[in-house]
């Protein structure tokens, strides 16, 4: 049982084990090399055999033609013993040309010459003389002769009258032809083997060089890292952009495209015009990273970090990561307003705690009538305000904001009136609490600050949903705003108040929230008489197609 489990584990390990790139390259070169050697050797052997046989046949035919036209050979046919003069001459020609045999015979096929003298006077073998003797043709043939299979050149011998009187047969043994083919093929195979060994050595060097370029990683490891990189790049919310040393984009993730409002592929395009490239070129030139650089691109404020990429030859590119400061600002502003909202609730709790302590003191002192008068006075005021809040304002989000501001106004000794004509049903679902806190919270707090310290400080709130818009109106009886300051009122950082803390963001944030909800905000102010802010928010949510 244990042996079986161990065997299965070994099989699984073998299945999971990846073949290295170097072994793949070596194996591929080995297989292709052997296949090419076999194919080329077979092709060369076939073509070489055809060419050698053709050359030998042509040579045999040319020799036989030359011999058939020798006058002494033709004259010897008229003598009583032709072989006496033909045999020495034929042997001399055979030796000089390297032919296996030069056989001359009459038109009956009787030999007058032969490498073996004993064969003279006997009939020629092969049965391939008919075309030369009867038709007077010159040709090449293959046949089995007395010396073995051979390739032959056949030529007729003509007398002075043009009559065929004999035949010349010059031949080379096929065995010698095949041996020459083998010798030539062996040389080709040896050269191919040398080239094969060189290619194997080159494949080893190539595999090592590729491993060096891939930092020792195998292709499957690179593929896994590529998938992980893509998942990380497109998973992070920050925009990431990479360029080479020439400023061409090599990579950009989807958050970067969304942030920079880019569609389609940007690979191998110049970064100029698609992204503020001054920081990138500065890093390419100096090699020093740039950290938390703030810049404005189109309608967004972007925080950029640039990091140079190095290789052995120097800087090879830059990677830039950036995030939208506007979104971060919105989040911080929302958190600030939520914190302010909690402070308003704390102020309301603190105010009522103080009143409870006063009531407790009056009761302990026996001042029952004063305690009852205080309770009745508070009750009348609360009943009136709460009746408006709960009966006229049906949206719980706005109710919560107003209750908090009522407590804060009470603590600051500011009269905060909710106009009795106000009427507001439950707001549409796209009205987010965070936006309402930013808009109403900042405008009401701004009004509180405008009247704080004045005689009879009063802030009024009015809301209505009659028509296609939700309308909020916040007015105060403060000192008002000068005409020249009204155009700057919503500019970020602008304030008419003195103080150490950074100011001038409340109204700007409120305007941003109104614009985000496709609304508008108006301001009317009369010096020494007060200010009115009016907000119009459409009930229907506009959706981009």
């Amino acid at each position: 049982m244990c042996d079986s489990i161990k065997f299965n584990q070994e099989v699984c390990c073998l299945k999971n084990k990846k073949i290295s790139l170097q072994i793949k390259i070596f194996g591929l070169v080995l297989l292709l090399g052997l296949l090419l050697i076999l194919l080329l050797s077979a092709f060369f052997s076939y073509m070489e055999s055809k060419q050698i046989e053709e050359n030998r046949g042509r040579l045999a035919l040319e020799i036989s033609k030359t011999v058939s036209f020798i006058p002494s050979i033709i004259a010897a046919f008229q003598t009583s013993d032709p072989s006496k003069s033909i045999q020495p001459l034929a042997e001399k020609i055979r030796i000089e040309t390297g032919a296996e045999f030069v056989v001359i015979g009459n038109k009956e096929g009787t030999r007058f010459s032969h490498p073996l003298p004993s064969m003279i006077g006997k009939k020629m073998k092969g049965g391939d003389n008919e075309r030369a003797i009867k038709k007077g043709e010159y040709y090449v043939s293959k046949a089995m002769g007395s010396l073995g299979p051979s390739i032959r050149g056949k030529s007729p011998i003509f007398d002075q009258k043009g009559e065929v009187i004999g035949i010349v047969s010059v031949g080379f043994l096929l065995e010698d032809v095949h041996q020459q083919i083998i010798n030539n093929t062996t040389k080709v195979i040896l050269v191919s083997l040398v080239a094969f060994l060189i290619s194997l050595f080159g494949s080893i060097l190539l595999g090592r060089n590729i491993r060096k370029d891939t930092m020792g990683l195998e292709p499957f490891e690179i593929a896994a890292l590529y998938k992980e990189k893509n998942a990380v790049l497109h998973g992070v919310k920050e925009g990431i952009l990479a360029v080479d040393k020439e400023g061409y984009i090599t990579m950009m993730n989807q958050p970067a495209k969304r942030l920079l409002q880019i569609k389609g592929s940007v690979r191998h395009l110049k970064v100029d015009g698609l992204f503020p490239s001054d920081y990138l070129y500065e890093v390419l030139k100096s090699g020093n990273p740039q950290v938390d650089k703030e810049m404005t691109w189109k309608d967004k404020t972007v925080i950029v970090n640039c990091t140079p990429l190095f290789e052995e030859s120097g800087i090879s590119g830059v990677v830039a990561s950036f995030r939208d400061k506007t979104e971060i600002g919105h989040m911080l502003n929302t958190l600030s307003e939520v914190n302010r909202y909690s402070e308003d609730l704390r102020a309301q709790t603190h105010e009522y705690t103080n009143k409870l302590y006063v009531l407790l003191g009056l009761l302990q002192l026996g001042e029952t009538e004063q305690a009852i008068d205080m309770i009745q006075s508070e009750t009348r005021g609360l009943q009136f305000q709460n009746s408006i809040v709960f009966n006229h304002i049906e949206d719980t989000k706005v109710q919560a904001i107003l209750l908090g501001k009522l407590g804060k106004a009470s603590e600051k000794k500011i009269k905060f009136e909710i106009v009795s004509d106000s009427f507001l049903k439950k707001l549409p679902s796209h009205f987010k609490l965070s936006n309402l806190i930013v808009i109403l919270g900042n405008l009401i707090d701004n009004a509180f600050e405008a009247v704080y310290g004045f005689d009879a400080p009063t802030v009024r709130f009015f809301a209505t949903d009659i028509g296609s818009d939700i309308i909020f109106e916040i007015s105060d009886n403060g000192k008002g705003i000068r005409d020249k300051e009204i155009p700057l009122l919503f500019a970020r950082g602008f304030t008419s108040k003195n103080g150490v803390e950074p100011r001038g963001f409340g109204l700007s944030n409120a305007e941003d929230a109104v614009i985000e909800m496709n609304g508008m905000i108006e301001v009317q102010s009369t010096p020494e008489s007060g200010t009115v802010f009016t907000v119009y928010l459409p009930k229907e949510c506009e959706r981009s197609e």
Side-chain angles (χ1 to χ4, degrees), residues 11 38 43 67 140 165 174 285 315 421:
V11 170
L38 291 175
F43 178 75
V67 173
V140 177
I165 59 176
L174 288 177
K285 183 178 180 180
I315 298 176
D421 293 338

Side-chain angles (χ1 to χ4, degrees), residues 13-204:
C13 290
L14 289 174
K15 287 182 178 179
N16 293 329
K17 189 175 181 180
K18 302 287 187 178
I19 300 175
S20 68
L21 179 62
Q22 192 166 359
I23 293 177
K24 287 181 180 179
I25 294 175
F26 185 82
L28 180 62
V29 172
L30 178 63
L31 181 62
L32 291 178
L34 289 176
L35 184 61
L36 286 174
I37 287 175
L38 291 175
L39 290 175
L40 290 176
S41 298
F43 178 75
F44 178 80
S45 298
Y46 173 77
M47 296 301 296
E48 186 73 2
S49 64
K50 292 291 184 182
Q51 187 174 7
I52 290 176
E53 287 183 6
E54 184 180 347
N55 291 340
R56 288 300 176 92
R58 188 182 299 111
L59 177 60
L61 182 60
E62 294 298 326
I63 294 172
S64 67
K65 283 183 179 180
T66 302
V67 173
S68 69
F69 289 112
I70 296 176
S72 58
I73 296 293
I74 297 173
F77 274 83
Q78 305 300 324
T79 63
S80 58
D81 187 9
S83 63
K84 183 177 180 180
S85 57
I86 291 176
Q87 172 68 6
L89 182 58
E91 281 299 294
K92 183 178 180 182
I93 294 173
R94 181 184 71 82
I95 294 171
E96 291 293 335
T97 59
E100 191 64 32
F101 59 83
V102 177
V103 177
I104 302 172
N106 58 18
K107 61 181 181 180
E108 286 79 21
T110 302
R111 298 187 186 100
F112 293 150
S113 67
H114 197 279
L116 299 177
S118 60
M119 294 293 180
I120 297 174
K122 295 181 179 181
K123 290 287 185 180
M124 299 172 67
K125 293 184 177 182
D128 54 348
N129 294 337
E130 184 175 355
R131 290 172 57 191
I133 294 174
K134 291 185 177 181
K135 299 181 180 181
E137 295 180 0
Y138 300 90
Y139 56 92
V140 177
S141 66
K142 290 181 183 179
M144 173 66 75
S146 59
L147 298 178
S150 59
I151 184 169
R152 309 170 176 201
K154 299 285 185 174
S155 297
I157 300 174
F158 296 94
D159 60 9
Q160 293 178 352
K161 297 179 181 181
E163 300 287 337
V164 176
I165 59 176
I167 185 172
V168 179
S169 179
V170 178
F172 296 90
L173 293 179
L174 288 177
E175 181 181 354
D176 295 338
V177 174
H178 294 160
Q179 185 61 45
Q180 184 179 354
I181 293 172
I182 292 173
N183 293 339
N184 291 348
T185 304
T186 302
K187 293 177 182 178
V188 171
I189 292 175
L190 290 175
V191 173
S192 300
L193 286 174
V194 172
F196 177 63
L197 293 175
I198 293 174
S199 66
L200 289 181
F201 180 71
S203 69
I204 294 173

Side-chain angles (χ1 to χ4, degrees), residues 1-17:
M1 183 68 178
C2 292
D3 292 338
S4 176
I5 293 174
K6 185 176 181 181
F7 174 76
N8 290 333
Q9 291 176 344
E10 291 177 352
V11 170
C12 290
C13 290
L14 289 174
K15 287 182 178 179
N16 293 329
K17 189 175 181 180

Side-chain angles (χ1 to χ4, degrees), residues 515-528:
I515 293 174
E516 182 181 339
M517 298 176 70
N518 300 310
M520 62 177 293
I521 184 170
E522 292 181 350
V523 57
Q524 296 178 353
S525 183
T526 303
E528 307 303 329

